[in-house]
Amino acid sequence: MNAGTRAGGYDFVVVGGGVVGSSIAFGLAERGRRVAVLDEGDRAQRAARTNFGLVWVQSKGDGMPAYMRWTRRSADLWPAFAQRLESLTGVGIEYRKAGGLVYCLGPVEFDARREKVEQLRAQADIYGTEMIERAALERLVPGARFGPDVVGASHCPNDGHCNPLLLLKALHAALAIHGAHYLPDAPARNIVHREGRFVVDTPRGSIEAGRLVLAAGHGTPALADAIDLPAPMKAERGQILVTERCRPILPIPGSGIRQTQDGTFLIGSSKEKTGFDDSTTVAVGGRMAARAIRILPELGGIRLTRTWGGIRVLTPDNHPVYAESARCPGAFVAICHSGITLAAVHAADLAEAISGGALGPTLEAFHARRFHVPKAA
Amino acid sequence: MSDRPFDLVVIGGGPAGLAAASQARQLGLSVALVDEQPAPGGQIYRAVERAEAEGRATALGEDYRHGLGLVRAFHECGATLFASHQAWQVEPGGRVFATDGKASRLIEGRRVLVAVGAIERPVPIRGWTLPGVMSVGAAQILHKTIGLVPDAGVWIAGSGPLTLHFAAEIVAAGGRIAGILDTAHGRLPETALRHLGGVVRGWRYVARGLGYLARLRMADVRRVSGVENVEALGEGRVERVRWRSGGQWQEAPASGLLLHEGVVPNTHMTMAIGCAHDWDEAQKCFRPRTDRFGMTDVEAILVAGDCGSIGGARVAECRGRLAALGAAASLGVISAAERDRLAGPVEAEVSAHGALRGFLDDLYAPAAELCVPPDDVMVCRCEGITAGRIREAASLGCRGPNQVKSFTRCGMGPCQGRMCGPTVTATLAAALGMTPQEVGAFRIRPPLKPLRLGELAALADAEAGE
Amino acid sequence: MFRKPPEAPDAVLVEVEGRPVRVPPGASAAAAALIAGLASTRTSPVTGEPRAPYCMMGVCFECLLVIDDEPSQQGCMVTVRPGMRIRRQEGAREL
């Protein structure tokens, strides 16, 4: 074992130092567990770095009420989670429970959105989403001058936003404060289950722990088989545009436009089946810009400074997978999109369950075996 | 919306781009040249036609006037010029998007030659963000374009041929400066001995340098050598300059301070395109990996001139011609044998003009304190990030510039990391005990220059049709 | 920090912070601001510090100016036109 690792070994090794892995590791460390977090280096394919920063409840979980409730639970935990992280680390993560908007351009979009909101509510009444007409929208966001096509929006008071980059920074700082070991440049190459313990091989040496959490995003499938964990995954590219800093006009984040605390606007986000190619294209950026300008025409004059392409971490039905290995007990996997929204519940309920040694009935619905059962008619 | 596809799209109208365009036209290629300035010439021959028309070119020197020939040959070669156009994205397949400041257009090329030149190495010292602190290159641009001359209270601090060249240029124009603070720490006799062959072969350049020094001596320009720790001081703008030499701190009033520590390849575009880059330890910079014709590892993308490797104007010109030969051969317009035959004399010229490079790199290597500044010095001017904040991020586990960027916003401002990138890499390498190659560079994302959102939106419909 | 340039017969009349200034043809807007003697050309939206042109070749973005009412233009990359109105950019731009 190399320098930086711990004599006496670890209770947990968490494979993956992005927001999902770091949130779980933070929760475990808060519970007194001795934790090592293995991460890639600077060029990691990191969803946490290409993220829109929404803590987003509305629209989540269609077809899976357990995920809807899980999302709402996380949103409810977020204010205390943010405060705990900030007071522990001194890193402000710019969390605001500001509500969230899905803008509707034209009556057809408005009606379609209304129908969607009703349909979601029928599955689980956890959203609190309301359809609001343009006049109400203007009262809600008095600083913004909306374009003529904006007829209204859906508004969910349980939504919010934060700075996902600073969230990751705060989590890493919190890990250090709790004595957890964050080991960068140490991507897991291989995992062996031996005599009830897990040995992870990395370029910086091997790390051993009693239990293991695999939260390696798209790195998960390559590692999961060896310890009998499921890893059903698909890749989807999202492009995001980021602008120069502007004076604040938009305190409420929206599905495709968010103004950050820095004053920059984020505009997103595409959904493309382009494999693991994370480049950006003028065609897609142009379409996103055009829609944003229809919502807020004044955006047309401000300057785009960067575009990002990121690869979403998705399962076949877009809902999270949490599972424990049957053959190698003590090995857990977490695969999900929405790592920001779920960060609070990952650091609390999920970490609590994993720390306690079993996922339990609440998380049963998230097992990957759902993909093998034929859907009921 | 696309103009017809060209055989070759050249980005950058300096010596490399101009020579490449003319050479490619001679070989029968159709050529477009995209340049951000209103008139061709690049930074080295900036506004050379205007200066000639106004009778100022001769005073700016024979080297400068050499650019006239290049520019004139270019105008006659039949290439299409997109002047005042900034290329902001290059997509695979030779798709170059460029804006004239009002609207953007797509210019397609079967080959794309990146010839965007050099930028001045950032000089992160205490007070370098104060108004009145500028780069020597900036002052020279003001002189070349409109004849602006610094006043007698302006100091020059730094090292490299440009500091002497510019000071001599100002003296020749009848100007006066407060003095030169020479930060070169390479020792001249030893360095010359180490590169004796190059010094002998590059004697013309050596003679020119000695000429600058003689002119400065004759004009009685104050020159302080062995200078370290230059600082700009003042309230709201630079008022005084402070430095250390011979172990002594000294201070003097200043109406301005011009900084220069050499130039580095402008790699923003090749990095955004995804070309492989290597750390060049001699020149202390990253540069794109190419073959002898400037071909990168990315299909259809070539590089020529100082954005590939610092060689100076005449080497850049040759490299432009070589890249044109490479492009023509790769398009099947000339055979490989013909390419090599034509390349021979050009490569001999490269070797002659480049003879002094090793000596210059060695003599004028930037001081360690400028590559790796102390904690309180501002590194990222846009976002106000100090070297200390970068080290703090490293202590949290950041292993390279990209994680540092996301934890600190360093490099996220409008300059997109141009002014801080080299310092961030060097500072991290020192803090982590890694090489610059291991630490790496910022991942550069389009647009290469901030772009009005409306311009991008206007391209959506045109692109949708394709 | 620069000597006043000799008056060119074809000087271009522009307005810098509301004051008329004659500048040589071919000057950039950033050069016009320097000729006009502006102590600084913008304040940083992050630190509030005064800033002024540094590189004059489109690299540093310190010369962001409001030109003919449009903010965030690189002053060193814009050539003056007769009647051009050049103003400092204070902090983050308005939308």
Side-chain angles (χ1 to χ4, degrees):
Chain A
M1 232 183 268
N2 283 25
T5 61
R6 186 176 194 124
Y10 297 100
D11 299 324
F12 280 91
V13 56
V14 177
V15 180
V19 164
V20 174
S22 299
S23 300
I24 297 169
F26 168 57
L28 292 171
E30 271 194 314
R31 285 162 180 74
R33 300 299 182 174
R34 294 171 303 167
V35 181
V37 180
L38 305 184
D39 204 1
E40 293 181 78
D42 193 53
R43 292 163 201 80
Q45 169 65 255
R46 196 183 284 301
R49 274 204 308 237
T50 53
N51 191 286
F52 207 70
L54 297 175
V55 176
W56 203 243
V57 177
Q58 63 171 307
S59 322
K60 286 284 173 65
D62 192 2
M64 189 173 177
Y67 179 30
M68 297 175 167
R69 286 189 291 272
W70 186 242
T71 298
R72 174 62 197 269
R73 164 90 179 138
S74 196
D76 290 347
L77 290 169
W78 244 100
F81 170 67
Q83 200 175 27
R84 203 161 80 243
L85 261 183
E86 289 187 358
S87 58
L88 180 68
T89 64
V91 177
I93 59 176
E94 301 171 1
Y95 169 71
R96 302 282 185 279
K97 188 166 186 170
L101 294 162
V102 175
Y103 298 105
C104 301
L105 295 171
V108 174
E109 276 189 25
F110 191 83
D111 291 343
R113 183 67 196 156
R114 185 204 308 275
E115 206 171 301
K116 185 78 187 172
V117 166
E118 290 306 325
Q119 185 213 325
L120 288 169
R121 199 198 312 275
Q123 295 174 54
D125 194 4
I126 54 95
Y127 294 99
T129 311
E130 303 282 349
M131 294 303 294
I132 57 172
E133 306 267 354
R134 183 184 171 106
L137 178 61
E138 284 172 339
R139 281 195 299 276
L140 201 59
V141 198
R145 286 185 283 271
F146 293 106
D149 296 343
V150 177
V151 296
S154 64
H155 174 243
C156 172
N158 294 305
D159 294 333
H161 58 154
C162 75
N163 183 325
L165 307 175
L166 294 179
L167 169 61
L168 186 64
K169 179 182 179 181
L171 286 169
H172 284 188
L175 286 172
I177 290 167
H178 280 304
H181 286 170
Y182 170 75
L183 303 172
D185 278 344
R189 291 190 292 212
N190 185 34
I191 304 172
V192 178
H193 185 227
R194 197 162 50 209
E195 292 161 17
R197 294 180 67 76
F198 296 89
V199 181
V200 186
D201 173 44
T202 84
R204 293 177 67 181
S206 59
I207 306 291
E208 195 181 320
R211 282 181 279 174
L212 178 140
V213 179
L214 184 52
H218 281 291
T220 303
L223 298 165
D225 252 11
I227 42 173
D228 194 34
L229 283 168
M233 293 190 69
K234 64 180 182 187
E236 180 185 87
R237 180 168 73 189
Q239 296 187 41
I240 292 177
L241 311 176
V242 52
T243 73
E244 64 183 322
R245 292 172 186 254
C246 302
R247 307 248 167 106
I249 62 149
L250 195 63
I252 303 181
S255 55
I257 306 178
R258 171 168 107 80
Q259 189 173 23
T260 68
Q261 295 290 304
D262 310 310
T264 63
F265 283 89
L266 302 184
I267 293 165
S269 157
S270 64
K271 294 181 175 174
E272 304 162 70
K273 302 272 168 283
T274 43
F276 291 99
D277 171 6
D278 69 354
S279 58
T280 63
T281 63
V282 171
V284 170
R287 281 199 291 279
M288 297 191 305
R291 182 170 173 90
I293 291 167
R294 282 178 70 198
I295 295 168
L296 288 168
E298 288 163 320
L299 292 180
I302 69 170
R303 305 272 167 162
L304 172 70
T305 55
R306 256 187 327 282
T307 54
W308 310 327
I311 310 298
R312 289 191 186 85
V313 176
L314 289 174
T315 66
D317 63 3
N318 302 339
H319 306 328
V321 164
Y322 308 115
E324 183 177 2
S325 170
R327 193 164 55 73
C328 309
F332 300 86
V333 68
I335 308 168
C336 74
H337 173 240
S338 303
I340 307 302
T341 301
L342 298 178
V345 78
H346 284 168
D349 299 14
L350 184 61
E352 179 71 26
I354 289 175
S355 178
L359 291 176
T362 319
L363 293 166
E364 180 56 30
F366 293 100
H367 198 281
R369 68 177 66 93
R370 68 181 184 266
F371 300 118
H372 308 305
V373 178
K375 282 229 160 69
Chain B
M1 64 163 229
S2 176
D3 301 276
R4 73 198 151 89
F6 295 88
D7 292 327
L8 180 65
V9 173
V10 180
I11 305 172
L18 293 173
S22 295
Q23 176 77 70
R25 285 293 302 139
Q26 266 179 34
L27 296 167
L29 273 56
S30 60
V31 177
L33 188 136
V34 183
D35 188 36
E36 61 184 17
Q37 294 300 329
Q43 299 304 341
I44 192 83
Y45 306 128
R46 182 85 181 258
V48 66
E49 293 166 288
R50 173 183 293 277
E52 177 74 2
E54 293 174 359
R56 295 186 287 111
T58 307
L60 285 160
E62 268 315 297
D63 285 345
Y64 178 66
R65 278 199 79 226
H66 173 84
L68 263 185
L70 266 179
V71 170
R72 284 173 179 160
F74 169 78
H75 284 312
E76 284 159 17
C77 83
T80 304
L81 174 65
F82 294 94
S84 299
H85 272 70
Q86 288 192 333
W88 51 265
Q89 184 156 358
V90 180
E91 286 189 352
R95 292 157 53 84
V96 178
F97 292 90
T99 175
D100 65 2
K102 293 190 167 52
S104 283
R105 56 165 18 119
L106 169 62
I107 304 163
E108 290 183 271
R110 296 166 69 201
R111 296 290 178 273
V112 174
L113 174 62
V114 180
V116 293
I119 60 176
E120 290 179 275
R121 188 187 294 279
V123 189
I125 60 167
R126 291 195 180 94
W128 74 311
T129 55
L130 282 174
V133 180
M134 300 177 84
S135 73
V136 170
Q140 195 182 36
I141 287 166
L142 288 164
H143 187 218
K144 283 176 183 168
T145 51
I146 54 172
L148 219 54
V149 172
D151 67 33
V154 172
W155 287 87
I156 292 175
S159 77
L162 184 66
T163 53
L164 297 179
H165 178 166
F166 177 67
E169 185 180 304
I170 291 308
V171 168
R176 283 209 62 82
I177 52 168
I180 301 174
L181 304 173
D182 190 346
T183 63
H185 54 282
R187 295 171 64 90
L188 187 56
E190 286 90 330
T191 312
L193 265 180
R194 259 202 310 281
H195 299 273
L196 195 58
V199 172
V200 171
R201 285 202 301 137
W203 64 273
R204 279 173 206 277
Y205 288 95
V206 176
R208 203 166 300 152
L210 295 172
Y212 298 147
L213 287 172
R215 199 187 295 166
L216 294 174
R217 256 195 308 274
M218 258 166 31
D220 214 12
V221 173
R222 183 174 172 197
R223 209 164 138 249
V224 186
S225 58
V227 169
E228 297 173 299
N229 306 101
V230 176
E231 295 176 7
L233 308 168
E235 286 299 318
R237 71 170 285 119
V238 61
E239 290 160 346
R240 295 179 315 286
V241 57
R242 203 165 103 94
W243 70 89
R244 209 158 56 92
S245 71
Q248 298 281 312
W249 281 101
Q250 296 180 54
E251 203 173 306
S255 65
L257 174 63
L258 305 176
L259 302 173
H260 182 78
E261 291 289 342
V263 296
V264 293
N266 178 4
T267 53
H268 238 60
M269 188 170 284
T270 45
M271 283 192 174
I273 290 169
C275 302
H277 287 70
D278 296 305
W279 177 257
D280 182 330
E281 183 54 33
Q283 300 196 335
K284 301 265 188 292
C285 59
F286 283 105
R287 58 182 170 85
R289 191 181 302 162
T290 67
D291 71 3
R292 56 196 265 248
F293 296 100
M295 295 273 194
T296 69
D297 65 330
V298 174
E299 163 114 47
I301 304 293
L302 295 93
V303 165
D306 275 0
C307 71
S309 175
I310 301 303
R314 299 298 287 270
V315 170
E317 190 180 325
C318 296
R319 295 253 182 246
R321 276 148 60 197
L322 290 170
L325 294 173
S330 76
L331 289 166
V333 174
I334 56 173
S335 67
E338 180 71 351
R339 176 197 65 188
D340 292 346
R341 190 184 66 75
L342 292 168
V346 186
E347 287 183 320
E349 243 185 283
V350 167
S351 162
H353 284 297
L356 204 58
R357 187 52 45 187
F359 166 75
L360 293 175
D361 290 344
D362 210 355
L363 184 65
Y364 295 128
E369 69 182 31
L370 293 171
C371 299
V372 182
D375 276 352
D376 62 308
V377 170
M378 190 88 84
V379 171
C380 171
R381 301 170 61 111
C382 296
E383 295 291 327
I385 308 298
T386 59
R389 297 274 305 281
I390 293 165
R391 294 193 180 96
E392 183 189 286
S395 73
L396 271 182
C398 293
R399 304 293 286 176
N402 294 294
Q403 195 67 14
V404 168
K405 179 178 178 177
S406 89
F407 278 8
T408 62
R409 287 191 63 85
C410 183
M412 282 194 195
C415 98
Q416 302 164 304
R418 286 171 171 87
M419 295 298 286
C420 64
T423 315
V424 173
T425 293
T427 301
L428 283 173
L432 299 169
M434 295 161 74
T435 65
Q437 181 82 32
E438 289 166 336
V439 165
F442 284 133
R443 171 141 187 211
I444 307 303
R445 293 285 208 169
L448 293 161
K449 285 290 182 81
L451 180 74
R452 218 179 275 109
L453 214 48
E455 276 186 59
L456 180 62
L459 289 170
D461 295 335
E463 283 287 285
E466 290 176 14
Chain C
M1 69 184 285
F2 293 96
R3 302 203 306 208
K4 205 172 145 44
E7 180 81 7
D10 51 353
V12 179
L13 184 64
V14 299
E15 212 178 79
V16 179
E17 285 291 318
R19 284 186 296 118
V21 180
R22 291 168 71 79
V23 300
S28 63
L34 290 169
I35 291 168
L38 289 195
S40 69
T41 49
R42 68 167 189 140
T43 51
S44 160
V46 183
T47 64
E49 299 166 311
R51 296 285 175 87
Y54 178 83
C55 78
M56 293 303 284
M57 57 180 279
V59 173
C60 73
F61 287 77
E62 294 291 10
C63 66
L64 292 179
L65 290 164
V66 182
I67 299 173
D68 289 339
D69 298 323
E70 187 184 341
S72 295
Q73 299 198 62
Q74 274 187 288
C76 71
M77 301 297 288
V78 176
T79 306
V80 292
R81 292 176 300 269
M84 181 180 273
R85 284 165 292 123
I86 299 164
R87 283 191 294 123
R88 305 170 77 242
Q89 182 153 329
E90 304 288 349
R93 63 171 291 171
E94 305 266 4
L95 216 56

